Amino acid sequence: MRVLVTGGAGYIGSHMVKLLGERGYEVLTYDNLSTGHDWAVLYGRLVVGDLAYKDKLREVFGEFKPDAVMHFAAYIVVPESVREPLKYYRNNVVNTINLLEVMEEFGVDKFIFSSSAAVYGIPEKIPVSEGAPLNPINPYGETKATVERILRDLSNSGKDFRYVSLRYFNVAGADPEGKIGFAYPNPTHLIIRAVKTAKGEFERLEIYGTDYPTPDGTCIRDYIHVVDLADAHIVALEYLLEGGQSDVFNCGYGHGYSVKEVVETVKRVTGRDFKVVEAPRREGDPPVLVADSKKIRERLGWEPKYDDLKFIVKTAWEWEVKGRG
Ligand code: UFG
């Protein structure tokens, strides 16, 4: 079974490539290395290319003949998407259309899409289930919601095309074997910032807002280990290979931690104290974002292995101090 992975040299994509390789899939990574790294691709071939180049894609599809495509390649920084919406729409939407068109040309009909909890915006009900309205509050979330609508329409068009869209909550942690992990410049995500602060790379950690309507006043998120997330893609792929119909699933554990709880856990796991300061709220942060994860557990039989904040932080920390993080 051959799987083409776009963005396979990036943070989540590289964990996916590793898991696919370990499970015996043949894998090819297509990545422009704008934020990814060649060393992160542990299995299969890496083709350095951009999704803007349809001819290059055609070449790769013609040679590799994938059975399915997993599409991770996208821009992911919310504040940047506010400043540079065209950049985000071009890469996340237009380039996805390029990929879907080439898939259609080559008769590849199974697609797994990296969507985001950002499609929900500020949900009315927590935990948020897949049936909640798509109501993104920033261009990044809009690009993911737009692609989801394109996929729905394509899947309803009568053509041979089935997809699974996975809505990621807060992905964190690193390969427990320490071979790969998060490696982008200027990270903004909480767990990465916190472990880098523990390491001494940043002088202090800012908590963005302590006056939210939550028990300790800080935002609550559903942190999911990157390997459990990769495993969700495997069960989704198996579902499509067995003839499953197009569908959308949340990827989270179904419970959350506050920013203060995360910071405490980082201090405990790393054994390092560091300076933490209270800062104003960051724009666009929903107070609580927790997945209703029943659907993926019940319909796809997904069984996460690392639902443990301490383990998530431990793997992120080990990568930071021993790996290339
Ligand atoms: N936070 C801090 N200090 C920091 C970094 C983050 O207090 O230095 C807080 C944020 O304000 C937020 C929480 O920690 O309350 C988590 O923030 P992250 O930046 O780690 O993650 P987000 O919840 O903002 O982002 C995630 C995904 C995005 C997605 C978004 C949807 O990473 O891709 O959820 O809300 F768009």
Side-chain angles (χ1 to χ4, degrees):
M1 202 54 64
R2 285 182 299 277
V3 183
L4 187 145
V5 179
T6 75
Y11 168 51
I12 301 173
S14 62
H15 289 83
M16 188 72 247
V17 166
K18 180 170 186 261
L19 193 60
L20 284 165
E22 287 168 355
R23 299 282 175 91
Y25 289 91
E26 232 181 285
V27 43
L28 182 143
T29 293
Y30 189 84
D31 196 304
N32 65 8
L33 298 185
S34 63
T35 54
H37 305 277
D38 52 6
W39 52 256
V41 180
L42 299 180
Y43 286 86
R45 231 178 100 199
L46 163 67
V47 175
V48 180
D50 197 287
L51 291 169
Y53 309 143
K54 282 175 82 175
D55 281 341
K56 179 111 186 177
L57 267 178
R58 288 188 182 104
E59 230 175 80
V60 169
F61 271 72
E63 277 175 31
F64 185 61
K65 300 187 174 51
D67 297 289
V69 172
M70 292 185 179
H71 179 35
F72 294 87
Y75 293 139
I76 58 155
V77 182
V78 172
E80 186 189 38
S81 79
V82 175
R83 291 192 312 271
E84 298 286 351
L86 297 179
K87 173 177 171 180
Y88 274 67
Y89 279 96
R90 173 157 299 278
N91 192 35
N92 294 8
V93 179
V94 177
N95 284 348
T96 300
I97 293 175
N98 287 344
L99 177 62
L100 293 168
E101 283 173 344
V102 174
M103 283 178 62
E104 189 175 306
E105 282 173 34
F106 285 81
V108 181
D109 62 356
K110 289 176 276 302
F111 189 69
I112 298 185
F113 178 58
S114 300
S115 188
S116 167
V119 299
Y120 296 120
I122 301 181
E124 268 177 28
K125 260 188 27 206
I126 295 289
V128 58
S129 63
E130 291 83 350
L134 301 191
N135 206 4
I137 54 167
N138 52 58
Y140 166 71
E142 288 286 359
T143 65
K144 293 292 175 181
T146 302
V147 171
E148 284 209 9
R149 294 190 179 105
I150 292 169
L151 295 174
R152 177 200 61 199
D153 293 345
L154 186 55
S155 173
N156 289 336
S157 66
K159 295 175 191 285
D160 276 339
F161 177 80
R162 288 173 299 125
Y163 74 96
V164 167
S165 184
L166 297 175
R167 294 179 181 159
Y168 307 169
F169 283 67
N170 287 62
V171 189
D175 169 34
E177 292 178 4
K179 292 182 181 164
I180 44 176
F182 191 95
Y184 292 178
N186 308 318
T188 59
H189 290 124
L190 177 63
I191 291 181
I192 299 292
R193 296 277 314 182
V195 295
K196 281 186 182 288
T197 312
K199 191 176 155 196
E201 218 172 298
F202 300 115
E203 194 234 319
R204 61 197 193 154
L205 181 81
E206 291 186 331
I207 296 187
Y208 302 136
T210 51
D211 57 349
Y212 283 99
T214 58
D216 69 13
T218 65
C219 290
I220 294 175
R221 294 288 182 274
D222 188 337
Y223 295 92
I224 169 174
H225 193 281
V226 63
V227 175
D228 276 337
L229 180 70
D231 188 58
H233 292 69
I234 299 270
V235 295
L237 175 63
E238 287 168 350
Y239 165 81
L240 288 179
L241 291 172
E242 286 159 11
Q245 291 310 300
S246 296
D247 214 333
V248 177
F249 299 92
N250 282 341
C251 289
Y253 292 139
H255 56 84
Y257 295 94
S258 73
V259 174
K260 282 188 175 164
E261 286 172 325
V262 170
V263 171
E264 278 318 303
T265 305
V266 171
K267 287 185 175 179
R268 236 179 306 130
V269 169
T270 63
R272 304 231 180 143
D273 200 8
F274 50 88
K275 192 165 161 194
V276 178
V277 294
E278 297 188 357
R281 289 184 178 195
R282 191 173 71 177
E283 213 185 313
D285 275 341
V288 183
L289 199 53
V290 172
D292 180 335
S293 62
K294 276 199 292 294
K295 188 175 170 188
I296 187 164
R297 291 173 196 262
E298 287 171 8
R299 304 242 186 113
L300 302 188
W302 178 63
E303 286 177 20
K305 288 205 301 246
Y306 304 119
D307 179 359
D308 173 0
L309 184 64
K310 290 194 290 299
F311 185 78
I312 292 176
V313 169
K314 177 175 168 278
T315 56
W317 172 244
E318 285 172 354
W319 169 250
E320 207 50 60
V321 292
K322 292 189 207 139
R324 301 177 188 236

